[in-house]
Amino acid sequence: MLRPILALLAISFGSSAFAGNAYYSATVTKTLVDDVAYGSCMALVSPFPETKGLDCKAGWVSFSCSGDFNSKEIGYQKLEAAQLAMMTGTKVGIRVDDSKKHNGYCFAQRIDNLPN
């Protein structure tokens, strides 16, 4: 009797049903600002967030400069940190959350500039 219940629970609560986040070191290769979509600003990072087991569209992360998931000011500060890393060729530490998305692209909850 216990085995069928455990099997049902395992199916019901499979890992794909849970949102996730990951913190990892990345390189920023592009940034964008858009007045309509993507939470208004994004960065293309490598490795891509989906390679870290997250449910995200390929490559890009949103900083939510639109103010949906953090203040607009914080969103633009995150974008500036990404631009600094891109222009100086340094890496960032980035925490990506796949429970918050803009147009299917995951939200970057945190970004840290890292030394060479």
Side-chain angles (χ1 to χ4, degrees):
M1 180 69 178
L2 184 59
R3 197 172 266 177
I5 292 171
L6 291 175
L8 182 59
L9 285 173
I11 292 169
S12 298
F13 297 108
S15 63
S16 63
F18 294 104
N21 65 65
Y23 181 83
Y24 62 97
S25 178
T27 301
V28 178
T29 56
K30 291 182 183 180
T31 61
L32 71 79
V33 176
D34 188 287
D35 66 345
V36 178
Y38 314 119
S40 299
C41 65
M42 299 177 75
L44 181 62
V45 296
S46 178
F48 294 172
E50 67 275 14
T51 66
K52 301 300 178 182
L54 299 173
D55 180 26
C56 305
K57 277 190 175 178
W60 293 86
V61 295
S62 173
F63 299 119
S64 198
C65 292
S66 58
D68 292 297
F69 304 134
N70 47 216
S71 71
K72 291 179 181 182
E73 179 183 3
I74 294 296
Y76 280 106
Q77 288 174 347
K78 291 177 185 179
L79 175 64
E80 289 172 356
Q83 290 170 328
L84 176 64
M86 182 179 69
M87 297 310 294
T88 60
T90 57
K91 291 190 178 264
V92 295
I94 192 162
R95 178 173 301 284
V96 181
D97 181 348
D98 71 2
S99 70
K100 297 176 182 174
K101 298 179 185 177
H102 287 287
N103 304 99
Y105 294 98
C106 291
F107 170 61
Q109 180 181 34
R110 175 180 176 153
I111 185 167
D112 305 324
N113 290 97
L114 303 175
N116 271 342

